[in-house]
Amino acid sequence: MTREIELNEHDRFKARLLKYLPSRAKLTETQVEEHIAHMLCIRHNTPWQKDIPEEIFLSFVLPMHVNDEPIVPCAKLFYSQLMPMLSGMDAMTAAIQVNYYCMANVTYRFNDAPTSDVLTIFNRGYGRCGEESTFAVLAYRSVGIPARQVYAVKWSHCEDNHAWVEIYVNGQWHYTGACEAQEKLDCGWFDTASSKAQYIRALCDCERLDPYIASENGRAVENVTDRYAAAGTLKLQVKNGAEPCPNARLSVELFNTGNFDRLFTLECDERGEASAILGMGDVFITHYSESGFCRVKATPPSAVIDIAHGTPDGAYEYTQRVAEGRDPHLHASDEWRTGLSNRRRELLHPGSHTPWVRPEPVPEKGAHEVRVETDYDIIQGFGGNFSIARITQDGTQKLDLDKNSPATLHIAAGRYCFNAYRRGLDGTLYIKSLVKQIDSDCTLKLSMPNAEAKPLNAPAALPFEDRCGKTLLLLCGGDDEPTRHIESELKEQENTLISREIRTLRIDTVPCDALERVRELMHISGDALPILVAVKDGMGLHAVCGYNVGSVELLCELLR
């Protein structure tokens, strides 16, 4: 029987909801009241509520939004469809069942548009990982199961990121892939990737949780990196010469997709000190100010940033190392390990990557032209790229370069960072960066005389029947993730010129000896499926294992 609900409980719920409801929410008073009524109902009538503390309920069931998506009322709709399925289930079984419902209604499809509202996602039946996790979190909350989106802001080992879901069951947080139902919790196709992560976080509608990590849009940030990866505490101290810098703000960054991308902001105490839990790979710690910036590379346990002289103009060379993560070579032969090790050693000396800037006068009075050149090889599959970013007191903003046309770019006066970089087999990034002040508005002309695309591995004859032409060969063990992610990208390529030139072939059953041979020939560092191989006339050119956004496009470019 429903217990009588005291008025002060209604007021408490409403005050908490409105406190963290973002200004973008366009909700009527009636919609707010209906949501509060539904939350009070499930708080007092769903069987698993006795194990959920009120603070957990208020932070991870009550909110109507997950991240930055448009906010629409949806709890009553999801409740009406889910609750009949969950009748008689314990909390753990119900949590697993909810994700089966999510998987039946939303599948993965990559897009780079702004996150849609949850009803749009529901009606169209697909979304990228951020949208899938938004949908799943709100479905869980609709039946009173605490849930939150968990986000690897940037992977350290590839140019990508990922979002999934954590749910609170029987007094503990558990994780699962959003709309990627498994028979049990705490497993997902991203397990190996998350074990290498530098930083994984969840947002909470509650007071500040970490004394150093700044809030995001008024919401508390919970650093959950050590739940997924081997992690350590990085202790930081900011100085100006011999003097500490009280209350300094630091940007914790990872070089990804051609930029020093901010993972989060640290706020130092009155002694100029701060700390954060991070994966055991490399990050960059940067202090930005009106007068310049100071950047150091850091790995737990400690680093000191002396801003006395900042980071002057000049050339810098970095190696961004990735944490080891889980062992991907459990079944690899010694010969295979040796070959892979030798291949990695070849990448330790990535060649001439240094970009430089040469001013050139032009006839117009008061104008000048700057010519930027870089000399490096593009290694398809592991990155071979060039980028330009403007440095301001708020961070670095990468400029949009058109890779398909002669790169001529008009830029304003300011300080810029010219980056040439390449990613190794194990995810390590080799970066050469030139910092330079441009004193007046000008035109940049980019010249890359040796930017020749070529495969990482020598072509190898695969243990399959000869096939003529160009083929994307997908070796998989069923329809589980991340196979569906790859097939979504294949579908996106169907109507392009590239895909009309290139066939796709899926093989679900591969003899063990043939599969092992493919791994050895293509230097695949792992035993997981699926494997995607670029094949030309029966010769394997390059392969990727698992899933990274852009794998299909990358292999198509190589075949073209």
Side-chain angles (χ1 to χ4, degrees):
M1 180 180 292
T2 303
R3 299 202 311 258
E4 182 178 349
I5 299 171
E6 297 178 1
L7 180 62
N8 64 356
E9 190 176 28
H10 168 280
D11 292 346
R12 193 165 64 251
F13 277 34
K14 185 174 182 179
R16 182 62 172 265
L17 177 69
L18 296 179
K19 180 178 180 179
Y20 293 102
L21 199 63
S23 58
R24 69 176 184 277
K26 306 298 182 184
L27 301 172
T28 66
E29 180 68 19
T30 299
Q31 289 173 324
V32 170
E33 287 294 338
E34 288 179 347
H35 183 76
I36 296 296
H38 180 73
M39 290 293 112
L40 289 168
C41 178
I42 63 175
R43 181 61 173 161
H44 291 282
N45 291 285
T46 49
W48 34 82
Q49 291 304 308
K50 64 181 184 300
D51 298 321
I52 300 174
E54 183 172 282
E55 182 58 31
I56 292 289
F57 186 92
L58 294 177
S59 297
F60 303 108
V61 179
L62 177 66
M64 299 180 70
H65 70 298
V66 177
N67 202 337
D68 59 357
E69 79 282 359
I71 300 170
V72 294
C74 62
K76 292 175 69 175
L77 170 65
F78 290 153
Y79 179 90
S80 67
Q81 297 193 8
L82 276 167
M83 210 58 197
M85 304 178 189
L86 308 181
S87 177
M89 294 183 179
D90 59 47
M92 184 68 75
T93 306
I96 294 170
Q97 184 61 41
V98 169
N99 207 18
Y100 276 105
Y101 165 85
C102 294
M103 184 174 70
N105 285 282
V106 177
T107 58
Y108 177 83
R109 185 183 298 179
F110 173 73
N111 68 82
D112 57 5
T115 302
S116 300
D117 69 78
V118 69
L119 293 182
T120 297
I121 299 167
F122 179 63
N123 289 328
R124 76 188 183 199
Y126 65 83
R128 65 179 183 278
C129 64
E131 293 174 317
E132 286 182 307
S133 55
T134 295
F135 180 87
V137 166
L138 292 174
Y140 276 113
R141 291 177 179 177
S142 75
V143 293
I145 298 176
R148 62 190 184 185
Q149 183 189 69
V150 179
Y151 186 36
V153 181
K154 294 288 182 181
W155 290 132
S156 59
H157 65 285
C158 67
E159 320 305 312
D160 194 6
N161 57 10
H162 191 52
W164 57 96
V165 171
E166 284 189 346
I167 47 184
Y168 188 85
V169 181
N170 298 336
Q172 296 183 45
W173 286 105
H174 299 267
Y175 73 90
T176 187
C179 307
E180 299 164 1
Q182 303 276 357
E183 294 181 358
K184 60 181 181 178
L185 301 179
D186 298 322
C187 61
W189 65 265
F190 50 87
D191 283 350
T192 298
S194 62
S195 74
K196 302 176 183 180
Q198 285 303 109
Y199 175 62
I200 301 171
R201 64 102 167 114
L203 295 181
C204 314
D205 284 354
C206 61
E207 297 299 322
R208 186 165 179 163
L209 297 172
D210 191 296
Y212 299 114
I213 296 181
S215 300
E216 290 189 23
N217 299 320
R219 307 175 74 193
V221 178
E222 183 170 354
N223 185 345
V224 297
T225 308
D226 57 356
R227 291 199 56 217
Y228 297 91
T233 299
L234 176 63
K235 296 182 178 180
L236 298 166
Q237 184 176 25
V238 185
K239 293 183 175 181
N240 189 346
E243 298 297 319
C245 291
N247 306 315
R249 289 175 64 90
L250 300 173
S251 178
V252 181
E253 299 168 340
L254 199 66
F255 193 89
N256 194 286
T257 58
N259 194 33
F260 291 92
D261 277 344
R262 180 173 295 160
L263 300 178
F264 58 95
T265 299
L266 276 177
E267 297 179 346
C268 297
D269 59 21
E270 64 277 2
R271 300 183 301 275
E273 297 177 353
S275 65
I277 295 173
L278 293 168
M280 298 304 292
D282 295 329
V283 294
F284 295 90
I285 311 296
T286 309
H287 178 270
Y288 294 98
S289 66
E290 292 183 5
S291 59
F293 77 110
C294 181
R295 174 175 289 140
V296 299
K297 191 175 79 169
T299 306
S302 63
V304 175
I305 300 95
D306 185 352
I307 66 173
H309 305 291
T311 298
D313 286 5
Y316 298 87
E317 185 170 355
Y318 304 106
T319 300
Q320 181 177 284
R321 184 180 58 85
V322 177
E324 187 167 328
R326 294 182 176 91
D327 183 6
H329 304 122
L330 296 178
H331 307 293
S333 65
D334 290 339
E335 181 182 356
W336 181 13
R337 283 196 184 99
T338 301
L340 188 62
S341 177
N342 290 339
R343 190 64 193 156
R344 285 177 177 165
R345 277 198 294 272
E346 290 176 23
L347 289 173
L348 290 179
H349 304 285
S352 175
H353 281 203
T354 307
W356 65 92
V357 179
R358 183 173 68 246
E360 293 183 349
V362 294
E364 292 83 0
K365 183 179 180 182
H368 69 276
E369 196 171 57
V370 175
R371 191 174 188 82
V372 181
E373 299 182 5
T374 184
D375 182 9
Y376 63 92
D377 290 333
I378 295 177
I379 305 298
Q380 290 285 3
F382 294 90
N385 301 285
F386 180 76
S387 66
I388 303 175
R390 186 174 186 181
I391 303 166
T392 71
Q393 64 180 4
D394 297 318
T396 58
Q397 289 82 44
K398 189 173 71 169
L399 306 186
D400 186 16
L401 304 180
D402 185 355
K403 297 180 180 179
N404 299 315
S405 65
T408 299
L409 189 68
H410 299 281
I411 65 170
R415 205 173 188 197
Y416 290 85
C417 190
F418 302 87
N419 306 303
Y421 55 97
R422 188 172 77 182
R423 193 177 286 279
L425 271 168
D426 60 355
T428 297
L429 266 175
Y430 305 96
I431 311 157
K432 285 195 174 180
S433 185
L434 176 67
V435 177
K436 184 169 181 65
Q437 176 71 33
I438 305 295
D439 293 324
S440 62
D441 296 359
C442 66
T443 299
L444 291 180
K445 285 189 175 180
L446 309 184
S447 173
M448 302 181 194
N450 295 323
E452 177 187 354
K454 56 187 178 183
L456 184 64
N457 302 321
L462 298 182
F464 302 104
E465 63 185 68
D466 290 338
R467 300 181 182 93
C468 298
K470 304 171 183 179
T471 305
L472 276 181
L473 179 64
L474 177 61
L475 309 177
C476 54
D479 291 316
D480 294 337
E481 291 293 0
T483 298
R484 286 193 292 125
H485 277 65
I486 292 177
E487 292 202 317
S488 175
E489 284 204 5
L490 288 170
K491 188 174 181 179
E492 292 292 320
Q493 293 285 329
E494 280 180 357
N495 297 320
T496 68
L497 175 63
I498 294 176
S499 64
R500 288 198 293 270
E501 296 174 350
I502 300 170
R503 297 181 300 166
T504 61
L505 181 65
R506 171 173 169 158
I507 301 180
D508 288 284
T509 303
V510 185
C512 290
D513 56 344
L515 190 59
E516 196 69 12
R517 184 61 178 153
V518 170
R519 295 184 190 280
E520 294 180 13
L521 289 169
M522 303 312 300
H523 299 278
I524 297 171
S525 58
D527 58 0
L529 293 173
I531 298 172
L532 188 64
V533 190
V535 182
K536 184 175 181 181
D537 297 333
M539 303 293 287
L541 303 182
H542 187 61
V544 293
C545 179
Y547 175 74
N548 297 315
V549 170
S551 295
V552 173
E553 182 180 2
L554 181 150
L555 294 183
C556 285
E557 287 289 343
L558 180 59
L559 284 172
R560 186 177 62 173

